[in-house]
Amino acid sequence: MGVLARAVGERSNLATPEQWVVDWFKGGTDTPSGINVTEDTALHYGPFFAGVRIISEDLGALPFPLYESLDPRGKRKATEHPLYPVIHNEANPVMSSQTFRETLTGHAVMWGGGFAEIVRKRGVVRELWP
């Protein structure tokens, strides 16, 4: 008997696999309602998608200025800082700063974290990609 046959059982085959094989391929087990729910299938449910969209768009639309501290106290917008155009205007050539923030917020809501790749040119941040 082969290793795979021992692992899944003698009567398990492609036509009638063991339940754990089916669950593994589906990405999880069914919920008490009998419906398999994953991150992808949840987005097909209108209220869930609407909730993710509303949270992402609302947080993405908030102003996101870059400030520098003044001595001894106070602050001012750091418009001459090299990171300012990336954060304020355009995160990368295909995304505005707002779209970028909306995307990362959506990722954080759906998967628990929003991560970005930092593209540097000569040590200065030039682009952020989700």
Side-chain angles (χ1 to χ4, degrees), residues 43 52-61 91-92 94-117 128-130:
L43 283 175
V52 171
R53 185 180 56 82
I54 288 169
I55 292 169
S56 299
E57 288 177 355
D58 285 353
L59 289 177
N92 58 58
V94 296
M95 297 177 101
S96 69
S97 175
Q98 179 177 349
T99 303
F100 174 75
R101 291 192 312 271
E102 287 175 9
T103 303
L104 284 190
T105 303
H107 289 176
V109 169
M110 286 288 298
W111 297 291
F115 302 97
E117 178 184 357
L128 296 172
W129 290 89

Side-chain angles (χ1 to χ4, degrees), residues 2 6 21 89 93 106:
R6 280 193 301 254
V21 176
N89 301 331

Side-chain angles (χ1 to χ4, degrees), residues 10 12 22 26 36 38 43-44 52-53 55 69 85 89 93 97-99 106 110-111 114 118 122 124:
E10 290 183 55
S12 181
V22 174
K26 286 187 343 186
N36 186 22
T38 65
L43 283 175
H44 294 281
V52 171
R53 185 180 56 82
I55 292 169
S69 297
N89 301 331
S97 175
Q98 179 177 349
T99 303
M110 286 288 298
W111 297 291
I118 302 169
R122 296 188 185 127
V124 178

Side-chain angles (χ1 to χ4, degrees), residues 6 8 14 19 24-25 29 33 35-36 39 50 62 67 69 79 83 87 91 98 109-110 123 125 127:
R6 280 193 301 254
V8 297
L14 289 176
Q19 187 59 43
W24 183 70
F25 277 108
T29 58
S33 67
I35 298 171
N36 186 22
E39 295 94 348
L62 292 173
Y67 289 104
S69 297
T79 55
L83 194 55
I87 289 179
Q98 179 177 349
V109 169
M110 286 288 298
V125 176
E127 299 173 0

